[in-house]
Structures are given as C-alpha cells and as structure tokens.
Amino acid sequence: MHLLLVEDDPTISRFLLRGLREENHVVDLAEDADAAEQFVSGTEYDAILLDVMLPGNADGFTLCRRFREAGIDTPVLMLTARDGIGDRVHGLDIGADDYLTKPFAFDELLARIRALTRRGRSRHQSATLTCGPLEMNLEGHTVTALGEPLHLSATEYRLLEFLMRRVETIVSRTQLADHVWGNDYDPFSNVADVYVGYLRRKLTAAGVPGTLIQTIRGLGYMLKIPSN
C-alpha cells in the first residue's frame, strides 16, 4: 500500500518509516501540514497516518478537516499522545476514521491500517484479495496461483497488490509508480513496464496466463478477471 505519514518527531518517524517499509509499504513522510497538503494534492494514498500535534499554524485536526472539506476520502488514522475522550471524539467528528494513542504497539498499528483500508474499499471486506486463480493474503504477504505459492519480490508483490485492489480498472503507469516506488520513481524510466514483464513471466511459469495483466495501449494496465 502507499501510505502518507504526517509526523514531525524524527525519532517516531524514523521508527515508523523503517517498520512500515519492512512490511512492503511505500511511505511518504510529511513533517508539517503544508507538506502534507502538497503530497495529498498530487498523490492518491491508501491511508494517511496523521499526528495531531504538528508545527506551524495547522494541527492534525485542522488538516483532517481540510482534507474532508476538499472531498478527499482517504482513510485517516490519527496518532497522538492526547488520550482524552474529548480529543478522540473531536477527531472522529471532524472526519478521522480511527484514533490510536501513543505509545502503541507496532502490530496494532498494522492491524488498524489493514482494517481502515478494508473499510475504505467496499470490494475488499477481508484480508484476502482474489482474481481468478490468484489469491493474495494481505496479512501474511503471501500469494498463491492455482493454489500453489507464488514467490514474488517485494516490488512485484506491491505491484500485484495494487492491480488486485483495482481489478477490471485501468491503472496508469504514473499510478503504478506512485504506489509501488513512491518518490524514488524516475518519470522517464521504464521500470514499471519492466516489472510488469517480470510479473507476467512468473504468472506464466505458475500456469497462469500472463495476459491476465493486460496492456491498454496509451493508458496503462488492467488486471482482468478470467472469463472461465
């Protein structure tokens, strides 16, 4: 998944960035409200992890309200050391989807992210994505093809997850780049096409037609549900 972390404390942000990236997530870091708004204006995220206490003239509550007023419906998980009931109620009332009090266990953070993204997309109400002979377990980060394990690199897994979350939907190379490589992607590179090729070859070797991932000329790619 592609996540936005809005956190100004470098100790906390380093810890979360390392842990989330080890879980195969692509994570962008914004250290204040202005940077967060710039990220959100140009990128589609699967979830936003938003600290309440931010430097400058906008805190997390204000930022969350701005997102909702702008029509941005990305799931938002508030992170804060303020554990009063009034703060939690306020956060939920202004549009946050969940509220996690610091300090928290990293495993709980991961579980809440999974729950948020399932609720945010009505098609996915479980921890498993399926498309024909493919099945992806989001908690275990495993994939099977025709019931047999499909061994993917971390990048290949993120690419397939993005396509499986958007089955029968055309995704552009820019969208793939944002969600699989984040800000490290060179817009003049053909790396997205290269990794689609890698993934197709692994599917073919596993007995699944590589044409399951269709090239839509001039537009991008689409993961197609098999007709039989």
Side-chain angles (χ1 to χ4, degrees):
M1 285 185 285
H2 195 179
L3 308 174
L4 175 63
L5 172 63
V6 187
E7 171 63 67
D8 67 306
D9 186 317
T11 301
I12 295 174
S13 63
R14 281 195 299 269
F15 167 74
L16 292 178
L17 286 173
R18 182 174 65 250
L20 291 167
R21 287 169 177 166
E22 286 176 355
E23 291 293 320
N24 290 330
H25 298 302
V26 174
V27 190
D28 295 329
L29 173 65
E31 295 181 312
D32 57 38
D34 289 341
E37 289 184 300
Q38 288 180 355
F39 273 117
V40 170
S41 68
T43 303
E44 177 190 353
Y45 290 98
D46 295 295
I48 299 171
L49 313 182
L50 178 56
D51 186 29
V52 169
M53 302 299 292
L54 295 173
N57 56 9
D59 61 11
F61 292 137
T62 302
L63 190 55
C64 183
R65 187 180 68 251
R66 288 178 183 173
F67 289 158
R68 297 310 185 224
E69 289 174 348
I72 297 167
D73 61 356
T74 305
V76 172
L77 173 60
M78 306 290 288
L79 306 177
T80 181
R82 294 161 58 170
D83 60 356
I85 293 176
D87 288 324
R88 295 200 297 273
V89 169
H90 180 54
L92 296 172
D93 280 346
I94 52 90
D97 297 272
D98 201 357
Y99 202 103
L100 188 57
T101 303
K102 301 175 184 177
F104 49 79
F106 186 68
D107 284 346
E108 181 180 3
L109 174 68
L110 294 177
R112 287 177 183 256
I113 292 171
R114 290 193 296 268
L116 280 182
T117 53
R118 289 199 298 270
R119 292 201 297 268
R121 292 178 174 84
S122 59
R123 282 192 300 183
H124 309 309
Q125 297 298 323
S126 72
T128 302
L129 304 179
T130 59
C131 177
L134 298 178
E135 184 172 294
M136 174 176 285
N137 183 299
L138 298 174
E139 293 183 358
H141 300 294
T142 58
V143 181
T144 58
L146 297 170
E148 296 297 323
L150 183 65
H151 300 291
L152 303 177
S153 69
T155 301
E156 292 164 347
Y157 178 92
R158 290 196 300 270
L159 191 155
L160 183 59
E161 179 189 356
F162 184 67
L163 291 172
M164 290 186 72
R165 286 184 179 273
R166 293 156 179 81
V167 171
E168 301 280 344
T169 301
I170 298 173
V171 297
S172 69
R173 288 172 175 80
T174 300
Q175 287 176 306
L176 279 179
D178 283 343
H179 283 76
V180 178
W181 289 273
N183 289 331
D184 295 330
Y185 182 75
D186 178 355
F188 299 104
S189 168
N190 69 338
V191 68
D193 303 307
V194 170
Y195 270 87
V196 168
Y198 292 161
L199 191 52
R200 281 174 170 157
R201 286 195 286 275
K202 288 193 174 182
L203 292 177
T204 300
V208 177
T211 52
L212 204 67
I213 304 175
Q214 297 189 352
T215 299
I216 310 301
R217 189 173 181 83
L219 296 176
Y221 296 100
M222 179 172 64
L223 186 64
K224 185 77 173 173
I225 297 175
S227 56
N228 52 51

